[in-house]
Amino acid sequence: MQFDDNANLDTSEVKDVRGGGRIPGGKATIGGGVVGLIALIMGLLFGVGPEQLGLTDGSSEPTATSSSVAQVQQTCKTGKDANEREDCRMVAVVNSVQDFWKQEFQRRQGQYSPAQTVFFTGRVNTACGAATAAVGPFYCPGDRQVYLDLGFFGDLRTKFGASGGPFAQAYVIAHEYGHHIQNLTGTLQRAQDGQQGANSNAVKVELQADCYAGVWARHATTTPDESTGRPLITSLTDQDIRDGLDAAAAVGDDRIQEKFQGRVTPESWTHGSAEQRQQWFYQGYRTGDMAQCNTFR
């Protein structure tokens, strides 16, 4: 995956609060020990905010603040920076994803509302409650923001066995913005019925977000950036797409359950199997059409 060296990055779409300190009070209950961590990973990985599982300390407003560690506004200026730095690459992916969805909504006579991505380390407070990096990337519908600890990408390789690569990271971000699209179109609330299992709405919402990630990927190299009129992403290879498919499979419920609990229990699925996640990402990529992402049929 390559970016236009001369493109201007829009860092206003990213809030960098890495190193911003502890959550006030420091007593949020996010699950404890190995069992708690596994439950969080299986319940929230690539999911929506902590309130979906009741993982909240009762606070309703984000409280993390920027620090001297927050660098993207100073260092991520151009596509060249995105080709050289991981955090700048994430900024560029956010820009590309939102460029696409803004134009897609306009094409469909709709209005797209942007969402920020928050880079954090360790812990963060959100409108959906307090969360730690252990929950993985997530989208909070309460404040319409995507939350991401960049250290997760190392875990994706070492703990979940994904091959990694820049596009695997892009897939993660595009999936979270898929939840934002669902929030704007009204389908995200279907996951809030408390049901689990292979045929649950929770799984269908996650698979649709995978499909939306694929739709963006299909158009990523042809979506013009507003600042230049040229695509921000200049190249996506077959290997990039394979990396995305591999990442999708690595976080399938069956793969995670087999790895962490030694058995597969479809009745507790919340995100779908490895095969399903790959299938729906590729459905979006193959068709490039969000109308083909109806996982609820």
Side-chain angles (χ1 to χ4, degrees):
M1 182 170 63
Q2 290 291 313
F3 301 91
D4 178 0
D5 279 345
N6 297 315
N8 297 316
L9 301 185
D10 182 0
T11 56
S12 70
E13 294 185 348
V14 172
K15 185 186 301 181
D16 192 348
V17 299
R18 289 174 291 175
R22 296 176 58 84
I23 294 173
K27 296 183 179 179
T29 301
I30 308 294
V34 175
V35 174
L37 175 59
I38 292 172
L40 284 170
I41 290 173
M42 291 194 296
L44 280 176
L45 190 62
F46 291 16
V48 292
E51 67 179 359
Q52 308 307 114
L53 294 183
L55 303 175
T56 173
D57 66 348
S59 176
S60 61
E61 296 295 331
T63 59
T65 56
S66 298
S67 75
S68 60
V69 181
Q71 317 181 68
V72 295
Q73 280 72 27
Q74 289 73 42
T75 58
C76 300
K77 302 292 188 181
T78 67
K80 185 175 186 294
D81 298 324
N83 285 322
E84 296 174 350
R85 291 177 55 103
E86 181 183 59
D87 52 0
C88 298
R89 181 164 66 240
M90 299 303 99
V91 173
V93 170
V94 170
N95 290 172
S96 174
V97 169
Q98 298 214 94
D99 282 345
F100 168 70
W101 286 114
K102 179 180 180 180
Q103 293 167 36
E104 179 67 9
F105 271 53
Q106 288 175 341
R107 190 178 71 82
R108 294 174 177 271
Q109 287 76 53
Q111 181 70 39
Y112 176 74
S113 298
Q116 279 191 317
T117 289
V118 179
F119 293 168
F120 73 97
T121 51
R123 294 186 176 195
V124 68
N125 236 19
T126 81
C128 296
T132 73
V135 306
F138 64 91
Y139 170 75
C140 173
D143 55 29
R144 294 188 173 185
Q145 295 187 133
V146 171
Y147 289 86
L148 176 64
D149 185 321
L150 298 186
F152 168 78
F153 296 125
D155 292 340
L156 189 60
R157 296 189 303 273
T158 61
K159 295 182 180 179
F160 299 99
S163 59
F167 190 76
Q169 299 172 347
Y171 154 72
V172 171
I173 291 175
H175 173 99
E176 296 308 330
Y177 274 91
H179 287 312
H180 181 54
I181 299 306
Q182 292 170 322
N183 196 26
L184 296 179
T185 57
T187 59
L188 185 60
Q189 62 188 358
R190 296 193 185 191
Q192 299 175 2
D193 60 7
Q195 301 299 308
Q196 297 181 340
N199 295 315
S200 66
N201 282 336
V203 167
K204 292 173 183 178
V205 162
E206 296 298 332
L207 296 178
Q208 186 177 62
D210 282 333
C211 188
Y212 286 163
V215 171
W216 161 74
R218 167 54 63 188
H219 298 283
T221 59
T222 58
T223 298
D225 179 70
E226 288 187 352
S227 68
T228 65
R230 302 186 304 270
L232 178 54
I233 297 178
T234 59
S235 173
L236 278 183
T237 67
D238 290 343
Q239 183 59 52
D240 288 325
I241 301 305
R242 285 194 292 270
D243 287 344
L245 288 166
D246 183 72
V251 291
D253 280 324
D254 53 342
R255 294 266 187 101
I256 293 175
Q257 288 181 338
E258 180 66 36
K259 184 176 182 65
F260 288 101
Q261 66 183 29
R263 67 186 187 280
V264 176
T265 53
E267 64 272 13
S268 65
W269 286 3
T270 57
H271 288 67
S273 70
E275 182 180 2
Q276 287 175 312
R277 300 201 72 166
Q278 286 187 317
Q279 173 193 339
W280 281 102
F281 172 80
Y282 193 71
Q283 167 84 350
Y285 181 71
R286 180 181 61 82
T287 65
D289 181 4
M290 67 181 296
Q292 301 302 313
C293 294
N294 184 2
T295 57
F296 297 93
R297 286 183 298 200

